[in-house]
Amino acid sequence: MLICGLKLTHDGGLAVVEGGRLLFSVEMEKLDNNRRFQPLDRLELVEDVLAREGVTGGDIDRFVVDGWFAPLGQDQRHPALHVTHRGRPVTLPVAPYVDQPGADVLARHTFAGLPLGSATHTYSSYHHSTQHLMGAYATSPFAQRGQDALVLVWDGGMVPVLYRVQPEPLHVVRLGELFPLYGSIFADFCAALPPFRSTTAPAAPDPQLMPRNLDVAGKAMAYAGLGTDDPDFDGVLAEHLDGMDLSFTMGDDLARALTERHSPPWPDASDADLIASLQGYLGRRLHAALSAAMRDDDLPRRLCLAGGCALNIKWNSRLRSSGLFEQVWVPPFPNDSGAALGAATVEWSRTGAPPAMDWSVYRGPQLQPAEGDPPGWTSAPCDIDGLARFLHDSERPVVVLTGRAELGPRALGHRSIFAPATVPGMKEHLNRIKDREDYRPVAPVCLEHHAPELFSPGTPDPHMLFDHDTRVGWEAKVPAVVHLDGTARLQTVNDREAPFVHELLTAYERLSGIPLLCNTSANHKGRGFFPDVTSAAAWGRVPAIWSEGRLYRRA
């Protein structure tokens, strides 16, 4: 059975699952240098993406469309998405964004009228919160072992909700909301402060368009390293937030309240201090709420994190180190980049099969083949050992494009810029050529078995979703991957999960004695990953590109 999951709003994409195995998951931003967060609002693109993979609409047994909001002022129980098919307007009813207390979390909504090719298909739809829930659980080690687990879903348009998943037979229970704050509050708060404030009028908080400020949270998490998180200010933050009604303007309202000249909460606080303190406060509030929930001794000590808030490595790390859980799992696509896969996963789980997905993080779009050398570039055969030697001898960055792209927002070695981390000024150089702010960190990718020597805790983290302290003595050896606060957003690799990157690092270590490299995404600013060598050459800000056994260099 072929199941195709569709995410049509921001971070649009599609995923195809067969017999509980992910065949591919394609985000629109990773095709043709599209803009980040690109929607899939033209249904003929579904046909095009399937065709690239050798699949037609007629091959698909079931289509699933992710649930979403209704426009502001309309009945949220009956939302619909407005898209087009070959220029013709199409309205697609979908499931509501979030499940409600007492209702069936896995409720299946069925509709007709999905046009693809010359046919019109029936389709199902599940709550947006449900696809986050099942996408995280089904890809977790707990699902592979047939264990029950807790799943915390906290996305931009919903408050944090805790669920329990029991796999055989599948049973999902909504345990309850943790506190009344939408997940978008951190990004919206930061977007209202001068470092991130737009020169244009802020977007209206229409739920059909939520969340706003999609590109802010990651930058703000890095910017917080310039400030100080002071827990003494938690009371001030709580007082303001507890006095507000739940709304999509809480972040804006909080920023305005804290920056009014006549009543500053602390006179000498900088914008970075405000951002760091709110981030810390939200992490502590999340920890406290889960601590209270875990007083129930019958709950499993296994936790999955899902929704856009699970991209915050500070919150993830706090929960993992809390002692509340035996293991914490975050998929590499906790935000809406995994929504198409999550939607297909829910449909698969409803067939009665075990809710465990056979998947790999490297099942994104295929690399488009090179057609000769790009103008101004020459190429020659170069194996992985040769790539390692070029990195070591030149001490310069290289764009690497190979195989299928990664799932989710992090470049994990198949659409990356690699560079030696030992070179002073490399972080500044990479930020400069990528047009990024100078406070932004560059991540290390490290051989898994060496990671505990360089970082604390140095535990396996293949998807770059937790932070680690850099151990004493290593800050000076690998300065390019150390953030302002001494931490690093580590990616670890082994030969099973990331064989290409593992082989490259092993070869580089033989030459340098250093088991890691810098790793940052290979893309135009504000765009998805480079889909081919031609795009990387047109960007042209590094001296070399390596792809599928060839090294391209500027003539």
Side-chain angles (χ1 to χ4, degrees):
M1 177 187 295
L2 284 180
I3 299 172
C4 179
L6 299 173
K7 171 65 158 69
L8 303 182
T9 51
H10 73 81
D11 289 286
L14 65 85
V16 173
V17 168
E18 181 178 32
R21 180 175 183 268
L22 173 64
L23 300 184
F24 55 87
S25 180
V26 176
E27 301 150 53
M28 298 310 298
E29 70 171 45
K30 293 176 182 172
L31 298 175
D32 307 322
N33 297 300
N34 284 336
R35 292 188 178 277
R36 291 194 65 206
F37 318 117
Q38 182 89 8
L40 179 49
D41 52 2
R42 294 186 294 126
L43 294 178
E44 63 269 21
L45 296 177
V46 176
E47 303 162 10
D48 295 344
V49 172
L50 290 175
R52 291 190 190 199
E53 299 290 344
V55 180
T56 68
D59 296 327
I60 302 297
D61 297 291
R62 297 186 186 181
F63 286 96
V64 194
V65 180
D66 181 35
W68 202 243
F69 292 103
L72 192 66
Q74 295 187 18
D75 187 350
Q76 293 297 323
R77 295 172 299 176
H78 304 289
L81 301 180
H82 302 286
V83 295
T84 63
H85 181 242
R86 305 196 181 282
R88 181 174 61 86
V90 177
T91 298
L92 298 175
V94 294
Y97 188 88
V98 64
D99 61 287
Q100 296 300 314
D104 179 7
V105 176
L106 299 176
R108 186 174 191 261
H109 301 250
T110 56
F111 305 99
L114 175 66
L116 292 172
S118 59
T120 301
H121 303 264
T122 59
Y123 63 97
S124 58
S125 184
Y126 298 90
H127 299 294
H128 183 73
S129 54
T130 300
Q131 66 78 11
H132 276 307
L133 159 72
M134 290 306 299
Y137 176 78
T139 56
S140 73
F142 317 131
Q144 308 305 316
R145 298 193 292 257
Q147 297 173 316
D148 58 344
L150 301 177
V151 183
L152 172 64
V153 183
W154 193 13
D155 203 31
M158 62 179 288
V159 302
V161 181
L162 189 64
Y163 302 85
R164 180 174 184 169
V165 179
Q166 297 169 292
E168 295 183 18
L170 179 61
H171 182 57
V172 180
V173 178
R174 189 185 209 267
L175 299 178
E177 300 176 358
L178 298 187
F179 47 79
L181 294 176
Y182 289 130
S184 61
I185 186 172
F186 179 63
D188 294 341
F189 172 83
C190 298
L193 296 178
F196 302 103
R197 186 182 297 150
S198 174
T199 56
T200 59
D206 185 337
Q208 183 109 45
L209 306 176
M210 287 297 293
R212 301 169 293 154
N213 308 310
L214 288 167
D215 61 340
V216 171
K219 296 177 183 178
M221 184 169 58
Y223 191 80
L226 296 169
T228 300
D229 170 21
D230 191 340
D232 288 344
F233 300 135
D234 283 5
V236 175
L237 294 168
E239 180 181 358
H240 281 287
L241 291 171
D242 292 345
M244 296 179 185
D245 294 331
L246 178 65
S247 77
F248 287 118
T249 64
M250 291 180 78
D252 311 70
D253 297 340
L254 178 64
R256 186 163 46 251
L258 295 185
T259 55
E260 287 179 347
R261 291 186 177 181
H262 64 274
S263 59
W266 45 95
D268 300 325
S270 67
D271 292 323
D273 295 330
L274 293 175
I275 289 170
S277 295
L278 178 62
Q279 179 176 245
Y281 165 76
L282 292 172
R284 287 184 286 276
R285 187 160 183 176
L286 192 60
H287 181 191
L290 284 170
S291 296
M294 296 310 293
R295 291 175 190 151
D296 183 346
D297 293 334
D298 291 333
L299 294 181
R301 264 47 187 172
R302 295 173 288 273
L303 178 68
C304 303
L305 298 177
C309 292
L311 288 175
N312 191 296
I313 63 173
K314 297 296 184 184
W315 301 342
N316 297 351
S317 300
R318 173 179 289 276
L319 295 181
R320 187 171 70 171
S321 64
S322 67
L324 294 172
F325 306 101
E326 300 168 3
Q327 187 176 355
V328 175
W329 163 254
V330 188
F333 38 76
N335 64 336
D336 283 10
S337 64
L341 172 55
T345 299
V346 186
E347 183 74 6
W348 167 249
S349 71
R350 291 298 301 266
T351 66
M357 189 62 59
D358 176 0
W359 68 286
S360 164
V361 72
Y362 301 112
R363 291 188 186 164
Q366 300 181 68
L367 182 67
Q368 296 303 298
E371 298 181 358
D373 294 347
W377 293 72
T378 60
S379 70
C382 178
D383 60 12
I384 295 176
D385 285 344
L387 171 59
R389 182 166 295 281
F390 181 87
L391 284 162
H392 176 261
D393 293 349
S394 72
E395 295 190 331
R396 302 182 73 181
V398 179
V399 169
V400 171
L401 308 173
T402 188
R404 283 188 172 272
E406 303 85 334
L407 308 184
R410 310 290 193 220
L412 300 173
H414 281 203
R415 300 292 186 273
S416 290
I417 301 174
F418 289 123
T422 54
V423 178
M426 181 58 76
K427 177 170 68 173
E428 292 75 15
H429 176 64
L430 291 172
N431 279 335
R432 185 165 56 252
I433 65 175
K434 294 194 66 183
D435 292 328
R436 302 196 327 169
E437 298 81 1
D438 58 5
Y439 59 80
R440 300 278 293 276
V442 172
V445 56
C446 183
L447 291 170
E448 182 180 282
H449 63 282
H450 279 303
E453 302 166 22
L454 283 70
F455 303 99
S456 175
T459 47
D461 280 330
H463 304 135
M464 212 184 286
L465 288 165
F466 297 87
D467 70 350
H468 297 248
D469 293 319
T470 311
R471 291 197 183 277
V472 174
W474 278 98
E475 305 100 319
K477 293 181 182 179
V478 289
V481 295
V482 183
H483 190 35
L484 300 167
D485 57 4
T487 63
R489 192 179 68 192
L490 174 65
Q491 176 196 357
T492 62
V493 295
N494 58 45
D495 59 355
R496 302 178 311 279
E497 297 172 328
F500 164 74
V501 188
H502 182 271
E503 185 176 349
L504 173 61
L505 288 178
T506 300
Y508 181 78
E509 184 197 13
R510 284 196 298 265
L511 296 168
S512 66
I514 303 294
L516 65 73
L517 288 164
C518 297
N519 177 15
T520 188
S521 58
N523 61 293
H524 292 285
K525 184 178 182 180
R527 306 274 174 171
F529 301 152
F530 293 136
D532 50 33
V533 170
T534 301
S535 299
W539 180 66
R541 298 189 179 186
V542 297
I545 303 163
W546 187 93
S547 182
E548 308 296 54
R550 296 192 72 84
L551 185 67
Y552 299 79
R553 302 182 68 175
R554 278 199 298 262

